[in-house]
Amino acid sequence: MNLKRYIIVTIIAGMLALSASLSIAGAISIKPNGSDDTAQLQAALESCSGTKSRCKIVLSEGTFYTDVLLVRNFNGKIVGQGAGKTIIRPVTDRPLGSTDIVFENDPTLAEPYPILLHFSDGGNIELADFTLDFPSDMKVEPYVTFD
């Protein structure tokens, strides 16, 4: 192999190794707190909103309790520790949040649609290795749809 080709191969290998270490080092790891994980999940989602490079959120094993999560232009991956091992479910002490009239205006965190995990405005979304659990006794704030 000539020297020029060797240098190019070495540079490419180095770039790939650096890219892999940056994606691992840049991962956001979250552990459930046992009661209401809405704020930490929302903050992690927002940190991956509108980014040029893909972001990775790693959810540890356990159950995450959350109210409505809303993120625009998410660019990344949310990965758990396996189906049934990492669980996301609605908070248990109150109904899932909702605006009074759904689809009349764009959703906001103050006036959300009754959707637990809401991605909007495009993005590049990958979800893996976790369970979304909606118990039969789940409650949602009353709402009507805009006609």
Side-chain angles (χ1 to χ4, degrees):
M1 180 185 298
N2 69 29
L3 183 58
K4 185 175 184 180
R5 186 174 289 176
Y6 175 78
I7 291 172
I8 291 172
V9 169
T10 302
I11 289 171
I12 291 172
M15 289 171 62
L16 290 173
L18 178 61
S19 173
S21 68
L22 287 176
S23 66
I24 293 169
I28 301 165
S29 297
I30 303 175
K31 294 180 181 179
N33 64 26
S35 59
D36 186 346
D37 299 290
T38 305
Q40 69 171 339
L41 289 168
Q42 185 65 46
L45 290 167
E46 288 174 3
S47 71
C48 297
S49 175
T51 59
K52 292 186 188 216
S53 60
R54 288 183 51 86
C55 184
K56 184 175 184 182
I57 299 172
V58 179
L59 304 175
S60 70
E61 193 169 316
T63 302
F64 291 85
Y65 296 94
T66 185
D67 201 345
V68 173
L69 298 168
L70 170 64
V71 63
R72 299 180 192 287
N73 197 22
F74 181 84
N75 183 20
K77 178 177 185 175
I78 303 172
V79 62
Q81 303 306 306
K85 293 181 179 180
T86 300
I87 301 165
I88 300 174
R89 64 176 299 165
V91 290
T92 57
D93 61 342
R94 64 184 178 277
L96 189 64
S98 178
T99 186
D100 293 335
I101 302 175
V102 178
F103 308 120
E104 180 177 35
N105 298 307
D106 286 339
T108 65
L109 286 174
E111 296 286 323
Y113 294 167
I115 299 170
L116 188 65
L117 184 54
H118 187 162
F119 296 96
S120 69
D121 299 333
N124 184 356
I125 304 158
E126 185 178 350
L127 308 173
D129 301 323
F130 63 88
T131 300
L132 290 173
D133 180 31
F134 299 97
S136 60
D137 62 347
M138 182 179 112
K139 304 225 181 327
V140 177
E141 288 181 4
Y143 65 92
V144 295
T145 57
F146 181 71
D147 295 339

